Amino acid sequence: MTVGIDLIHFATSDYVLGLDTFAAEKNIDVNKFYNGIGQEKMSIAPPDEDIITLAAKATAPLLDQIDKNSITAILFATESGIDQSKSAGAFLHGLLELPNRCRVVEFKQACYAGTAALQMAAALASQNPNENILVVASDIARYDQDSSGEATQGCGAVAMLVKQNPRILAIEPGSGYYTEDVYDFWRPNHRTTALVDGKYSTKVYLNSLKQTWDYFTEATPRRFDDIEHFCYHIPFSRMTEKAHKTLTKKVGVQLDEATFKSQICPGQVYNRVVGNSYCASLYIGFCSFLDNAEQALDGKRFGFFSYGSGSVAEFFTGVIQPGYQMHIMKDSHQAQIQNRLALSYEQYVSFYYQHPLEADDIAFERTNKGSFRLDKIENNVRFYQQ
Ligand code: HMG
């Protein structure tokens, strides 16, 4: 019996800001973004798009393929939470009209929470063949205007169905994990934007990778040569190159350029034009790898490195299942990315910095063109539309 990802689909917003537009406005050489951090565009959420509407867009195509009454749990990972008490999963459960015999909980630990949810879902599913668990990771990355992180914003959600005998990825037992209490990136309750010590955060990320690798090789018999491809958490796509260089140096492996690229690059394609989607980012990278790999991946082992600031990290592996290509949703992923509307810098500023996102009472202008939108907040109750 195997356990893992049976179906996976991601969604992003309907709007995009080109980093060429951003660079021109800020008077920065655009090559700093294209080459220096490896980003071209960032998905921008209008005010009537939130983590729930993104999550619903990501999840709906999965529910079209299964009996939605078979869903036994929603494990919802986010660091863009909309309520301190009611979990984001409960909003999603209502919007998608899921069965009442279902448990719902929200997971938080910066970008790592999606992996925590996935591992917990896999553990639950391994005990019971009737578990059909929705793991949903959804985030909108927001930094202050003119801060170092501003060019690395983005948004997206990923939905994964986790069960026994999955059709896409079997997660292997054993992983290496590492926690260190640091202030590299955080968002106090009173803020809508994150604070970051950018350079320090990249150092903690890379140190966490080395620590999780050491533990992974103690906890499992698997070694670098047993892993064909690597998906790293992607705050910006150059980070995955820094990560893979760090890992290959640590294990003492010298790869030619073509092999180095084939081990990581298909995973960067979507994130390069979507931007950071925090909890969803690693798994959008995985979708990107599945959709953009030049060769079929059946039977290939993937290494996954999940990092969440603050900080918690985990390295684990999984094996792509035979016939996976019949179940991936490449057309939907590519259509969403291609159909986004380009924003001017002024429109982006208006969406992100001039519209209140929260109030006791507020009605949102209709800008979200997706199948789910946030209509209004009335007496502190959120009203969504399908
Ligand atoms: P910065 O100060 O904007 O950029 O900060 P920089 O001056 O360090 O330049 C970046 C790179 O571009 C450098 O290359 C430059 O040389 C190069 P590197 O030394 O890194 O190889 N460069 C150019 N290249 C070509 N042409 C040019 C040019 N100019 C410069 N003209 C920083 C960059 C990443 C710090 C910033 O974007 C930031 O603060 N980002 C947010 C934090 C972040 O993403 N951290 C990543 C690790 S932590 C993480 O992943 C967790 C996170 O997802 C949150 C969570 O867990 O919830 C963020």
Side-chain angles (χ1 to χ4, degrees), residues 51-177:
I51 53 161
I52 308 302
T53 59
L54 284 170
K57 264 202 275 184
T59 309
L62 264 57
L63 299 181
D64 290 343
Q65 298 188 36
I66 56 166
D67 171 10
K68 70 177 178 182
N69 290 315
S70 69
I71 298 296
T72 52
I74 305 174
L75 307 188
F76 196 123
T78 187
E79 55 176 301
S80 324
I82 51 166
D83 194 290
Q84 286 289 346
S85 298
K86 180 173 168 178
S87 78
F91 291 87
L92 183 68
H93 178 276
L95 190 55
L96 297 177
E97 298 173 344
L98 291 170
N100 296 110
R101 288 192 171 175
C102 180
R103 316 81 134 194
V104 177
V105 71
E106 184 171 313
F107 282 64
K108 179 173 69 183
Q109 176 34 59
C111 304
Y112 168 71
T115 298
L118 179 62
Q119 290 287 21
M120 306 254 167
L124 272 176
S126 70
Q127 290 167 18
N128 182 350
N130 297 324
E131 294 283 5
N132 282 315
I133 301 175
L134 272 178
V135 170
V136 181
S138 181
D139 268 311
I140 300 175
R142 292 176 195 275
Y143 293 91
D144 283 344
Q145 232 180 329
D146 299 322
S147 66
S148 71
E150 191 186 358
T152 65
Q153 297 177 114
C155 67
V158 70
M160 301 179 258
L161 180 67
V162 175
K163 59 189 282 292
Q164 289 190 2
N165 304 319
R167 290 173 287 178
I168 292 184
L169 181 84
I171 295 173
E172 295 184 296
S175 66
Y177 37 86

Side-chain angles (χ1 to χ4, degrees), residues 28-38 79 109-112 139 143 147-152 184-186 194 196-206 233-236 238-239 242 276-279 281 307-310 312:
I28 297 173
D29 178 357
V30 72
N31 290 318
K32 173 173 176 184
F33 304 127
Y34 287 177
N35 304 327
I37 61 168
E79 55 176 301
Q109 176 34 59
C111 304
Y112 168 71
D139 268 311
Y143 293 91
S147 66
S148 71
E150 191 186 358
T152 65
D184 63 328
F185 164 105
W186 67 108
V196 65
D197 187 343
K199 300 258 163 41
Y200 177 53
S201 72
T202 61
K203 286 202 180 99
V204 186
Y205 176 119
L206 294 175
H233 167 57
I234 313 185
F236 50 91
R238 270 289 311 285
M239 193 71 219
K242 288 178 196 276
N276 196 354
S277 53
Y278 293 160
C279 288
S281 179
Y307 175 76
S309 285
V312 181

